[in-house]
Amino acid sequence: MTDALHEPLAQRTTEILRARSRELTARLDQLRAEGLALDLTRGKPAADQLALSNALDGILHGDYRLKDGTDARNYGGLLGIPEARAFGASILDTTPDRVIAGGNSSLSLMHLVVDTALRIGLWGAGSAWQTDVEAAGTRIKFLCPVPGYDRHFTICESLDIEMIPVPMTEHGPDMDRVESLVSADPFIKGIWCVPKYSNPTGCIYSDTVTQRLARLPTRAGKHFLVLWDNAYAVHDFESPTPRLTSLAPLLAAAGTEDHAVQFTSTSKITFAGAGVAFLAGSPLIVKSLEKHLSAITIGPDKVNQLRHVRFLEGRLTAHMQQHAALIRPKFQAVLERLEYAFTGLGVATWTKPAGGYFISFNTLPGIAKRVVARARAVGVTLTPAGATFPYGKDPDDRNIRIAPTFPRLEDVEAATDVFTLCVELESIEQILARRAAS
Ligand code: PLP
């Protein structure tokens, strides 16, 4: 691990910095020679987490009947089986009639919602966003809190939606900025939100931010949508678990129920890629989506939905505590190393999430790409710098997303050690280069 003197790097003499730079370079050369192949990029569950859900296999024991007698093996049930809709409603804190239980991916549901709003309209005839922009000769725009989730950005790019970054604070998006932007531009039609253990900062939106987001559609142009991606709704490390204010009652109070859609999935509860995804919206939104869905499919995989309900009903909290027991030590390993390496050095900041899948790390401005490249040269793959920003462009070149869940604990430790060495070395080189130039 890095030898941390607790004096800010910028205050050390050039001689001391050069000596430290030589030391770090030698250490990294040694590590390169070890031929490491470590990866901190993937926000995926590790094999031992997946194994927690192996009982899904065979859980039905030949009993495919739903509570209402329907045979789950046959066609039908476009909005999902009642049991699964009720399960999704319990996570998203709404009623089952407002929930669609879909296939294996909430991202597909997000794409479905945005695509429907854009091309067909979620609010009845003539409400497609496309109609508005074609008449005005402009583009649809979305607000993207940054750093944020790259696949949200991919959905926007794939549908030619322009992305406007807005800063994240530790309590959620900067709402002054959000409100002023949507008030000024009626073609801003949506905002991406990951309200609990946000990807990648890990923050939980405060009551005030949630309340302001619930009211946001009243300030925006017509047909605005809050996309509430609650992917980490139950992914807590600690007990008692931190609370996220429930969105549904705030929407009802603000009269904006037709302008928000919530999403979640079991991707990081059971099997990533073979779970069940959910969305929740007002009766009008569910009806519009049902119509569009009926052109896409006869119905979702009801057998998988039934397996999930039988497996998770009444034991979700206990199951998530088992995940937490496996994930927590990996987060701790990263956070301890960051603290040891950087406390007092004045060259880095990072988040300390109480749940979710990510740590967001900020270097000095201008070196994130260099850190990622240097780590790669030593055999440690990090998420590309910039990935947490629309169009892959971090204007300050400083944010790096760390995803500790997938590798084994020893690998997380080794990869973080390399990472801290690379950050310190790049920071020193930048300070030295600036001194030489001044
Ligand atoms: N939403 C967020 C914020 C995520 O971080 C992820 C996965 O990393 C997803 C959605 C993916 O969800 P799903 O597997 O249900 O498509």
Side-chain angles (χ1 to χ4, degrees), residues 166-226:
V166 290
M168 276 293 269
T169 73
E170 60 183 302
H171 305 296
D174 174 344
M175 288 308 297
D176 289 342
R177 181 113 185 89
V178 166
E179 287 168 357
S180 89
L181 282 165
V182 300
S183 307
D185 185 346
F187 295 105
I188 299 178
K189 296 292 190 192
I191 180 168
W192 290 110
C193 299
V194 183
K196 193 166 169 192
Y197 308 131
S198 200
N199 179 349
T201 71
C203 85
I204 299 178
Y205 290 13
S206 69
D207 294 359
T208 313
V209 165
T210 305
Q211 227 161 48
R212 288 171 79 175
L213 281 162
R215 281 194 227 114
L216 192 61
T218 64
R219 293 174 171 264
K222 62 180 177 176
H223 304 143
F224 186 84
L225 257 188
V226 176

Side-chain angles (χ1 to χ4, degrees), residues 43 104-108 110 149 152 194 199 229 231-232 265 267-268 277 358:
N104 70 331
S105 160
S106 60
L107 276 167
S108 322
M110 290 174 223
Y149 179 39
H152 290 160
V194 183
N199 179 349
D229 177 3
Y232 301 105
S265 78
S267 287
K268 284 155 186 174
F358 304 102

